[in-house]
Amino acid sequence: MKAYFSIVVFLVLVVSSVATGTGSYIDTKSKITADLNRALVCALAEKGQEWVTADTIRVCKQLQSQSSNVVAMIIRDDSFAGRLTMPELRDKSYVTFAVIPNGCAQDIVPGGGVDIVSGDTVIIEPEAARNANVSIAFRGTADCSFATVFGLSDLRLSACLMMAALLWGAFSVLRMRKHCADAARCSRLGGLRFDASLNAFYNPADEEVRFTPMQHELMLMFFNAEGHKLSKAEICETLWPGKDDASETLYTLVRRLKRIVEQNSRLKIEAERGRAYKLTVDD
């Protein structure tokens, strides 16, 4: 498995998880807004005339004339909170209202902040407001931090995708470590590969090269030797210890080994001054 493929799959899962979680968050925030709007309309139909009196309007107008900012009043009422379908919002929600001149189309009720979710503005004209030639702009509001909205969101799919990403990442790391360990156990030279875990040589087509036990031992000596060079004396002492003269036997072994090596790789076994042999790559 290619490393880039593992990375792409991991990133796709992470991005999908984040996108799904973000979509769920936005959807939940929209549901909170809709719940605030519905509860406000119902509460206004029942108690809208009671919430705003002539004295309240007078105080609001005075405050508005003295301030360059919008002056909004807050109403906490059980009839509004009780109509919310989300129980988690009931102790966090309230109604804000502001007095606006008749004919003013501009929405002057403060909107939502970082930790506030607000519904739409509803403008009514109770009897006290009509006598003062003003209208009242209401808005349902909830103190909802990012964590609160996030906690109300359905994150099951997002969590599953993130878990899949983490599991895939862990699997990929373990696989890459195994690949590195396998690579460390393997030696390559001129297209010939030795796998220490299998104690076998393989050609470029990944086919096992069949050596006799003595040929196999000599190839290992070549692979492990510095510069892939071995003296005749070193080979004879290792392969035929105690034998007085193994030159002819060595010559026969090397001659037969050369043919197999050259057929299965780009390697050559060259004699150096009659005293040593060296494994070289034929470019």
Side-chain angles (χ1 to χ4, degrees):
M1 181 172 54
K2 300 294 185 180
Y4 72 85
F5 176 76
S6 298
I7 295 173
V8 168
V9 172
F10 176 78
L11 290 177
V12 167
L13 289 172
V14 170
V15 171
S16 299
S17 175
V18 173
T20 302
T22 301
S24 180
Y25 176 88
I26 294 173
D27 182 60
T28 299
K29 198 168 183 178
S30 298
K31 289 180 180 178
I32 292 174
T33 300
D35 200 18
L36 291 170
N37 290 338
R38 188 196 57 77
L40 177 62
V41 170
C42 293
L44 286 174
E46 178 185 353
K47 303 186 68 174
Q49 300 289 337
E50 301 176 12
W51 281 348
V52 182
T53 64
D55 289 338
T56 304
I57 293 174
R58 184 174 62 255
V59 171
C60 287
K61 292 178 68 175
Q62 289 175 350
L63 292 174
Q64 187 69 46
S65 65
Q66 298 171 5
S67 174
S68 58
N69 298 320
V70 176
V71 176
M73 307 296 284
I74 293 178
I75 300 173
R76 294 189 182 273
D77 191 276
D78 291 340
S79 63
F80 170 70
R83 286 176 168 82
L84 293 168
T85 59
M86 297 182 179
E88 298 85 355
L89 301 178
R90 290 172 184 166
D91 61 346
K92 304 175 183 293
S93 301
Y94 49 88
V95 176
T96 58
F97 73 92
V99 176
I100 60 175
N102 280 339
C104 179
Q106 185 179 11
D107 180 4
I108 64 171
V109 181
V114 175
D115 293 331
I116 293 176
V117 178
S118 294
D120 300 326
T121 300
V122 177
I123 299 177
I124 67 171
E125 293 184 14
E127 184 177 351
R130 285 195 298 269
N131 294 334
N133 195 30
V134 294
S135 299
I136 311 298
F138 291 91
R139 177 177 285 171
T141 306
D143 292 328
C144 289
S145 64
F146 174 85
T148 301
V149 179
F150 201 72
L152 293 173
S153 304
D154 185 359
L155 302 174
R156 288 173 294 181
L157 178 57
S158 179
C160 288
L161 289 171
M162 184 58 70
M163 181 61 68
L166 294 176
L167 290 174
W168 178 265
F171 167 76
S172 299
V173 169
L174 291 175
R175 188 177 180 88
M176 289 177 66
R177 286 182 177 178
K178 182 179 182 299
H179 177 75
C180 291
D182 290 343
R185 290 196 300 267
C186 295
S187 301
R188 295 177 183 271
L189 184 65
L192 193 65
R193 175 174 65 90
F194 174 69
D195 191 330
S197 62
L198 300 175
N199 193 31
F201 286 91
Y202 295 87
N203 62 21
D206 212 28
E207 300 169 340
E208 184 178 356
V209 180
R210 301 293 182 178
F211 292 122
T212 65
M214 198 68 71
Q215 292 170 348
H216 183 90
E217 187 68 24
L218 182 53
M219 283 302 299
L220 279 180
M221 292 176 64
F222 276 124
F223 262 62
N224 295 327
E226 184 177 356
H228 308 294
K229 180 179 178 180
L230 296 169
S231 68
K232 287 186 175 181
E234 182 181 358
I235 297 173
C236 291
E237 290 174 3
T238 302
L239 299 182
W240 302 285
K243 189 172 183 178
D244 294 336
D245 187 5
S247 299
E248 188 63 28
T249 306
L250 174 59
Y251 174 78
T252 302
L253 175 63
V254 171
R255 178 171 55 82
R256 293 175 178 174
L257 179 60
K258 284 178 62 176
R259 184 172 61 253
I260 299 175
V261 169
E262 291 174 3
Q263 289 174 351
N264 289 276
S265 68
R266 293 182 289 107
L267 295 174
K268 296 177 65 176
I269 301 177
E270 298 179 345
E272 291 193 349
R273 301 179 182 178
R275 293 178 297 183
Y277 289 102
K278 186 176 182 179
L279 198 60
T280 61
V281 179
D282 186 7
D283 296 327

